[in-house]
Amino acid sequence: MRVGTATTDPGETATGWLDVTTLPTGGRERLPVLLAEGTGDGPTLWVTAGVHGDELTGVAAAQDLLDDRLPDRLAGDLVVVPTVNPAGLRRTSRESYYHGDDPNRYFPDPDADQYRPPRVQQRIDEALFDAVTGDEDAPVTDAAADALLDLHTAHVGSLPFVIRDRTLYGDRRDEAAAEALRDDLAALADALGLPVVTEYTDPEYTGEGLHRSLTGAVTNEAGVPALTVELGTHSVVDETERARGVAAVYRALVNLGALDTLPGWVPDTEPITSGVDYRLRRAVHPHTDTAGLVRHRVAVGDVLTEGDPVADVVSPHGEVRATVATDHDGVVLGRGEGMAVYENDPLASLAVRDEAPLVVPREES
Ligand SMILES: [Zn+2]
């Protein structure tokens, strides 16, 4: 197997680099690669992390995935890229400094209008996408992904959870193929030991460019099941969530049939659940129509019923100006950071009851 400069034979692990662009000051921007090639045949799982450069727990979890004992146990291959956005990592910044915007919104969408030549962040994203999908021009052999997990973090103190995209049909695949992709995504998501949250509905999904996130493009462009794993707090490595991230990847290997059981070296973490028995989708909710200072009335993990108060908005003197309630049943994933809010600012990240279809015609998106 080969990814960039890293090569393995069956039964081996290796490290190397995937070149993605030339730096103006000399040298190359390159992504670290770790490989484990199993002694048996089976699926190839890719794990990526750090596309948002301040989401460090995912980077640490990805760095800790390989073990010298893994290849002998493995039927298939594991490809790990622990730092997808080195420019962001250098500055502990969500964005790279190439464009100053979200690097996780430039993965391929052939339907997107492109009036000017792609700039460097898009070129980097395209190089990674080509490697993941085994494009013939990419420096990859026998390592195209059968599934991908992209490790992120969310809000300060947030609940860990996994995000699966809705699957689209149209030009790329018919409805039956989109349903099969939905089922593969659901099986993989349910295996990770974390609450499962479905991505925004359209038009918010495409409006926010999420079909051009790494997992959105791998799922809906390449047709390969890909999930986003959110591992709690950003900007510091959280040891509990790092362990949960490592365990989630190994659970995925078991689900995919690459391992029979969880090896003994995998961190011993209990699966966690959402606490509700209905399907959930992501929602930035509720928003305040009153400016002021936020005093949350909910904690992460709380189960909410429509109409429950989420936060008070108080004056600088501490007098309550408004109480903001949720319009949905759901679960608190994270609380908004900071205290000061302007009108229409969001107060929380919720997972709310999802009644929208999981398979959607692409024409509508
Ligand atoms: Zn992220």
Side-chain angles (χ1 to χ4, degrees):
M1 174 171 53
R2 179 167 74 98
V3 177
T5 65
T7 60
T8 51
D9 287 318
E12 293 180 350
T13 61
T15 63
W17 299 94
L18 182 66
D19 267 21
V20 287
T21 196
T22 301
L23 293 169
T25 47
R28 302 276 292 170
E29 187 74 292
R30 52 187 198 162
L31 313 182
V33 175
L34 301 93
L35 304 180
E37 181 168 346
T39 47
D41 288 338
T44 298
L45 175 65
W46 277 66
V47 178
T48 50
V51 68
H52 295 135
D54 62 345
E55 300 187 358
L56 308 177
T57 298
V59 174
Q63 289 176 324
D64 291 354
L65 289 172
L66 255 55
D67 187 287
D68 288 342
R69 294 163 286 181
L70 176 61
D72 283 342
R73 300 275 296 269
L74 193 62
D77 304 311
L78 179 63
V79 179
V80 186
V81 184
T83 299
V84 166
N85 173 9
L89 183 65
R90 291 179 197 119
R91 302 199 308 169
T92 320
S93 162
R94 176 180 174 86
E95 294 81 17
S96 72
Y97 43 71
Y98 298 133
H99 300 184
D101 57 2
D102 191 333
N104 200 28
R105 299 291 184 273
Y106 285 97
F107 289 92
D109 172 15
D111 295 339
D113 294 325
Q114 181 96 44
Y115 304 106
R116 293 175 176 168
R119 296 179 63 200
V120 65
Q121 185 63 57
Q122 182 172 340
R123 299 289 292 154
I124 292 170
D125 288 359
E126 288 169 352
L128 178 63
F129 183 85
D130 287 349
V132 169
T133 56
D135 184 273
E136 61 187 18
D137 295 329
V140 167
T141 52
D142 302 326
D146 296 298
L148 178 141
L149 300 178
D150 191 31
L151 308 185
H152 287 244
T153 64
H155 307 276
V156 171
S158 61
L159 202 68
F161 58 102
V162 53
I163 305 171
R164 48 108 175 254
D165 289 51
R166 293 168 209 276
T167 58
L168 308 179
Y169 63 91
D171 291 348
R172 311 289 188 282
R173 68 190 62 83
D174 62 18
E175 190 170 358
E179 288 170 352
L181 186 56
R182 170 203 61 193
D183 293 345
D184 288 346
L185 268 181
L188 188 60
D190 287 342
L192 301 188
L194 301 171
V196 178
V197 179
T198 304
E199 192 52 280
Y200 302 122
T201 49
D202 265 340
E204 196 174 8
Y205 176 69
T206 44
E208 292 294 317
L210 285 158
H211 63 306
R212 299 190 65 182
S213 69
L214 176 53
T215 52
V218 170
T219 298
N220 275 313
E221 183 55 35
V224 172
L227 295 165
T228 299
V229 180
E230 299 280 0
L231 297 171
T233 299
H234 60 81
S235 299
V236 292
V237 175
D238 180 297
E239 183 54 31
T240 300
E241 301 307 334
R242 182 205 62 82
R244 256 198 262 276
V246 172
V249 172
Y250 274 88
R251 288 189 174 112
L253 288 169
V254 173
N255 174 264
L256 294 166
L259 287 172
D260 290 333
T261 56
L262 286 183
W265 64 82
V266 176
D268 187 18
T269 65
E270 283 294 312
I272 58 171
T273 62
S274 66
V276 300
D277 59 5
Y278 49 85
R279 184 151 60 81
L280 293 167
R281 67 176 168 86
R282 248 175 125 191
V284 177
H285 184 79
H287 292 72
T288 176
D289 55 14
T290 305
L293 303 180
V294 173
R295 304 289 294 271
H296 284 101
R297 289 171 60 169
V298 295
V300 164
D302 281 359
V303 174
L304 304 180
T305 302
E306 178 185 350
D308 282 349
V310 171
D312 294 324
V313 179
V314 306
S315 72
H317 301 101
E319 297 146 346
V320 175
R321 286 178 172 163
T323 297
V324 184
T326 173
D327 296 334
H328 305 281
D329 298 341
V331 179
V332 180
L333 295 176
R335 303 183 302 164
E337 290 159 31
M339 202 175 187
V341 287
Y342 295 87
E343 56 183 323
N344 288 340
D345 276 353
L347 302 182
S349 169
L350 303 185
V352 302
R353 187 187 293 272
D354 183 25
E355 285 161 347
L358 293 175
V359 177
V360 185
R362 193 180 178 95
E363 292 76 36
E364 287 179 15
S365 66

